[in-house]
Amino acid sequence: MFQGLTAQEAARPSGGPLDDLSMRPKRPKDGADSEAWAPVIGLPPSTDAYRLLPRFRTGDRRMPVGRDLFRIGETNKSIFNLLSGWVAIYTLLEDGRRQIVHFALPGAVMGVPTSNGAKISYGAQALTEVVVSVIPNTVLATVLKDDPEVSMRLVSTLARDTSIAYDHMTSIGRRTARERVAYLLLELFTRYRAQWPGNRIEEMVIPLTQEQIGDATGLTFVHVNRVLSTLRKDRIVHFHYRRLRILDPDRLIEVAGVDPQTAMSWFERRSI
């Protein structure tokens, strides 16, 4: 079922991986926020497909590995439209433990306020170098009034990512450790592969550590390592040094407990 990603595209990371998601990079000393970071000029045309506002380019920003796009408790004056790279959406428990509820890929929209002045209840951290379109809320409000197509695109994007986050929570609550890890790997592979149609391949660079997989599945590093080892021994998947290879797609779907039609719906097939 996995067709369409060239070997070059599968092996191309969006930026250097973050070894420890708990690393908290400092804000600029001058107090500048995300809108003050250096603009990005000359982005490839391929990023246009992920833009919420196709004609808005002045907010393009490049952010390094480990940068918090925004943090829990902040009041955002802008939303973040991811154009390239990987971002972890996370929450924190009182004791500092972290739960990753979603992995944002290009096209995602993050930091949308629930109401005026509301504080964000989750954080977003770059797992690779990322490029985002930082759209001020005032600009977004003006566009939404005049362009219903953008409104529908925004609603569709938020609904999709919310559904994925709900599925993650269901997976943690109802699936076994083996099923959780298989489900996450299958979901990430199909979502990423959907963005790079091309030749047949079952391999990709996935910029996650085993600790981060544990943060997303509610498992310890030791447990994740044990599950990945059994999946490798069973010739289902091989995950090593952030490179994921699908050895048996059908068995991966079976272990993840996902209906094949549901797995197919995770990515859109595009003609070449």
Side-chain angles (χ1 to χ4, degrees):
M1 62 172 283
F2 298 121
Q3 302 176 1
L5 178 63
T6 65
Q8 291 176 329
E9 290 164 337
R12 177 180 57 198
S14 300
L18 177 64
D19 289 331
D20 184 358
L21 189 60
S22 65
M23 295 169 60
R24 304 305 295 267
K26 297 179 180 179
R27 294 282 188 174
K29 292 182 179 180
D30 60 3
D33 62 13
S34 58
E35 287 117 326
W37 297 339
V40 180
I41 301 175
L43 289 177
S46 59
T47 60
D48 291 346
Y50 306 123
R51 290 185 181 274
L52 177 66
L53 305 183
R55 293 182 295 276
F56 183 76
R57 306 298 176 99
T58 58
D60 292 356
R61 300 289 185 271
R62 191 183 306 278
M63 301 183 184
V65 176
R67 170 77 69 180
D68 273 318
L69 282 65
F70 51 86
R71 296 177 180 176
I72 298 171
E74 292 185 346
T75 301
N76 281 353
K77 297 180 180 180
S78 303
I79 66 170
F80 296 78
N81 178 198
L82 185 60
L83 303 180
S84 71
W86 289 57
V87 172
I89 306 298
Y90 66 89
T91 61
L92 292 175
L93 300 180
E94 291 185 359
D95 60 5
R97 286 178 295 168
R98 190 182 303 254
Q99 175 68 55
I100 297 177
V101 297
H102 179 52
F103 291 105
L105 300 183
V109 177
M110 301 163 287
V112 177
T114 55
S115 61
N116 290 334
K119 296 185 182 298
I120 299 295
S121 61
Y122 58 93
Q125 192 174 74
L127 293 174
T128 67
E129 179 181 87
V130 303
V131 175
V132 294
S133 176
V134 185
I135 307 172
N137 292 340
T138 53
V139 171
L140 180 64
T142 299
V143 173
L144 293 181
K145 289 180 181 178
D146 301 329
D147 194 336
E149 181 179 344
V150 172
S151 299
M152 292 304 299
R153 193 182 311 134
L154 175 60
V155 169
S156 177
T157 298
L158 294 177
R160 177 199 62 203
D161 288 349
T162 299
S163 177
I164 292 173
Y166 286 163
D167 287 343
H168 283 175
M169 295 301 98
T170 301
S171 184
I172 292 174
R174 295 298 182 182
R175 289 187 169 92
T176 66
R178 180 179 169 92
E179 291 170 342
R180 292 182 212 176
V181 174
Y183 183 94
L184 179 65
L185 296 179
L186 175 64
E187 179 226 307
L188 291 177
F189 189 91
T190 52
R191 287 176 59 206
Y192 183 83
R193 215 293 309 276
Q195 299 180 343
W196 301 103
N199 298 325
R200 297 185 180 183
I201 193 160
E202 276 78 34
E203 187 170 344
M204 65 174 281
V205 170
I206 177 171
L208 304 179
T209 65
Q210 292 186 19
E211 289 89 346
Q212 292 159 4
I213 292 176
D215 285 344
T217 55
L219 301 171
T220 65
F221 163 81
V222 173
H223 212 156
V224 170
N225 183 272
R226 185 180 301 122
V227 170
L228 289 173
S229 295
T230 60
L231 291 175
R232 181 177 65 251
K233 291 178 181 178
D234 292 341
R235 302 289 300 167
I236 298 175
V237 301
H238 185 249
F239 179 72
H240 188 62
Y241 286 112
R242 298 181 176 86
R243 182 172 294 277
L244 172 67
R245 182 166 183 80
I246 308 299
L247 304 175
D248 192 331
D250 293 335
R251 288 192 66 194
L252 179 60
I253 291 174
E254 180 182 352
V255 172
V258 176
D259 180 89
Q261 294 302 317
T262 300
M264 293 290 289
S265 71
W266 281 343
F267 64 96
E268 137 190 6
R269 291 187 176 275
R270 289 175 280 186
S271 58
I272 301 172

